[in-house]
Amino acid sequence: MSGTSRTDMLLIGGGVASASAAAELRRQGFTGSVDLVTREPLAPYHRPPVTKDLLGPGADRHDPAVYADDWWQTHSIRLRTRSAVASLDVAAHTTTLDDGTVIGYDKALLATGAGIRRLRVDGAALEGIHYLRAPGNAHRLRKEAHGARHAVIVGGSFIAVETAASLTALGMHCTLVMPEPAPLHTAFGPTVAATVAGLLRSRGVDLVCGEHVSAFAGTGRVGEVVTDAGRKLPADLVVVGIGATADARLGATAGLTIGATGGLLCDAELRTSAPDVFAAGDVCEFLSPIHGQHVRVEHERHAQAQGVTAARGMLGKPAPHAEVPYFWTDLSDWLRLEYVGAAPTWDSERIDGSLDDGDFTVWYELAGRVVGALTAGRPADLDRARNLIGSPFTRPTPC
Ligand SMILES: Cc1cc2nc3c(=O)[nH]c(=O)nc-3n(C[C@H](O)[C@H](O)[C@H](O)COP(=O)(O)OP(=O)(O)OC[C@H]3O[C@@H](n4cnc5c(N)ncnc54)[C@H](O)[C@@H]3O)c2cc1C
């Protein structure tokens, strides 16, 4: 199909950032036309269940859709699935889809998210090596996990750790391999990482820390994972969870400015460098009043909140995006960690409660000021942290 059409608001991308922008446009009383274009076969869905509920025993009953099927029609939003935007002409205010359809717009949102980072080592093309980003990835992994015994999971951050917990709960023997000294070390520091390591080991997960995967071995199908220390780990299947990179290709080829993390560079109101083009979610590298610098955040609530900010900007009601980032991570039903804040670095940690009992808050501080809080089982501390961090962050002047 090709042709031309026009819309007032064009939302590019089928993730939660786009979906929440669509909802906010209608919530604000906007009655003009709204088109949401996504290259995926599914309407917008939540990704967090991909490493959690969709790997668990109730997976078949879990629906990750953001809205019910009829929501799009009842809100008069034209949902174009299986439609990749091939190019964007910011001067002409048009996009061209991969089938040649040209869509003109008044305002556009780029919410193209992030893409999987691939591990390019010998044997990377063998069968049985999985990456997790969409529900279909989880369904395939779950099917293969049935009847398999040993899983090797590559990575030491959220995706890998959550997957190891979920597959262990399904009855598999899991080995986590990571270059970091312990799981979640980069995000939460050594104290929490040691606790997470202890929890995983107590549930039967083997940890191989401080080593990189250097190859996958097998005939047709992966049978072994090899590390740079020469270790050989048997594997019936492998999951690689080594992070994601901003998918800013569409914006970049349209000439939009790209930031230091590879995202679309935006001001505090989420405007890109092109007129009438906004960005939100994983792809958006914005000038954060909270951080006092440009940042890009890859968390679901943040993407949803930015969809709201961007939608208001598209309606001519711009405001700085000043919500303190929040995210959670679940290790099966063993432990839920929730984090509020803006702390890529900190210089001290203060702990309330007991890490061993899974009932604690770690307060991360920089130059005597709280910049983040991680909690298990203490939700009231999340609000306390928001209040402490919420005022714009002034960076300490170097001595
Ligand atoms: C497995 C997994 C588990 C996660 N768990 C958690 C969690 O527990 N807690 C948490 O806070 N966060 C979690 N996250 C992160 C969270 O899901 C993301 O931050 C969030 O999905 C970002 O939403 P988004 O809308 O910005 O981007 P995405 O969800 O990446 O959506 C972008 C969309 O744009 C589409 N697109 C891209 N380019 C084009 C184009 N040219 N044309 C048309 N469509 C295009 C893509 O196909 C995709 O549909 C998880 C992520 C993953 C992958």
Side-chain angles (χ1 to χ4, degrees):
M1 200 184 75
S2 66
T4 53
S5 68
R6 216 211 127 264
T7 185
D8 296 321
M9 302 291 182
L10 180 64
L11 311 176
I12 302 173
V16 290
S18 239
S20 93
E24 183 62 15
L25 288 170
R26 292 302 184 221
R27 209 178 291 126
Q28 291 284 330
F30 179 67
T31 53
S33 51
V34 181
D35 282 36
L36 187 150
V37 186
T38 171
R39 62 179 172 212
E40 303 213 26
L42 301 173
Y45 56 82
H46 297 284
R47 294 191 190 279
V50 169
T51 41
K52 307 175 187 71
D53 311 67
L54 293 179
L55 290 182
D60 297 339
R61 295 183 303 278
H62 187 87
D63 180 2
V66 174
Y67 301 122
D69 287 348
D70 60 358
W71 186 92
W72 302 94
Q73 209 181 346
T74 55
H75 288 76
S76 302
I77 289 158
R78 180 162 186 189
L79 179 61
R80 299 172 182 257
T81 52
R82 297 181 195 275
S83 301
V85 175
S87 64
L88 172 66
D89 183 334
V90 294
H93 280 56
T94 58
T95 54
T96 305
L97 305 188
D98 55 358
D99 68 357
T101 303
V102 176
I103 307 176
Y105 64 83
D106 277 358
K107 300 275 165 43
L109 174 70
L110 282 178
T112 46
I116 283 166
R117 184 174 287 137
R118 304 230 161 230
L119 186 56
R120 304 196 189 281
V121 294
D122 283 353
L126 289 168
E127 290 286 318
I129 299 172
H130 297 258
Y131 289 82
L132 292 172
R133 193 148 182 97
N137 304 139
H139 295 320
R140 267 189 298 282
L141 174 59
R142 211 165 153 266
K143 228 162 134 186
E144 265 192 40
H146 202 72
R149 176 80 192 110
H150 295 286
V152 173
I153 295 112
V154 186
S157 197
F158 302 110
I159 301 278
V161 171
E162 289 181 358
T163 303
S166 296
L167 293 182
T168 301
L170 273 186
M172 294 201 73
H173 173 256
C174 293
T175 305
L176 257 178
V177 188
M178 71 198 78
E180 297 91 343
L184 305 186
H185 181 274
T186 310
F188 300 141
T191 316
V192 174
T195 302
V196 171
L199 173 65
L200 290 166
R201 285 199 179 101
S202 74
R203 298 286 180 156
V205 179
D206 285 339
L207 302 181
V208 174
C209 303
E211 294 181 28
H212 288 86
V213 167
S214 54
F216 299 115
T219 314
R221 188 178 169 83
V222 69
E224 210 170 58
V225 175
V226 185
T227 75
D228 56 357
R231 197 187 296 267
K232 292 183 176 170
L233 301 161
D236 299 322
L237 61 85
V238 169
V239 182
V240 181
I242 55 169
T245 51
D247 188 348
R249 288 170 294 179
L250 183 63
T253 48
L256 271 57
T257 308
I258 302 299
T261 72
L264 296 171
L265 203 70
C266 290
D267 64 15
E269 280 113 25
L270 310 188
R271 277 181 291 248
T272 67
S273 57
D276 300 323
V277 181
F278 291 72
D282 285 6
V283 76
C284 175
E285 189 171 327
F286 74 114
L287 182 57
S288 164
I290 299 286
H291 298 74
Q293 61 186 32
H294 278 92
V295 296
R296 199 171 64 75
V297 177
E298 290 182 7
H299 295 305
E300 173 162 269
R301 295 279 168 86
H302 175 82
Q304 289 170 318
Q306 283 205 326
V308 171
T309 304
R312 291 181 188 169
M314 293 165 84
L315 292 171
K317 301 175 189 170
H321 186 79
E323 187 169 307
V324 183
Y326 159 90
F327 68 88
W328 79 100
T329 179
D330 289 335
L331 278 66
S332 185
D333 57 3
W334 313 335
L335 180 67
R336 163 165 286 203
L337 295 170
E338 293 179 279
Y339 180 92
V340 156
T345 55
W346 59 92
D347 57 24
S348 70
E349 298 172 5
R350 202 163 34 82
I351 297 168
D352 288 341
S354 159
L355 290 166
D356 290 341
D357 296 343
D359 173 22
F360 62 86
T361 298
V362 181
W363 301 93
Y364 296 92
E365 297 177 347
L366 182 63
R369 188 193 151 122
V370 171
V371 290
L374 174 73
T375 188
R378 297 183 167 214
D381 282 347
L382 295 171
D383 288 332
R384 282 181 61 204
R386 269 188 201 100
N387 291 333
L388 286 167
I389 301 162
S391 53
F393 182 49
T394 314
R395 297 210 153 256
T397 328
C399 306

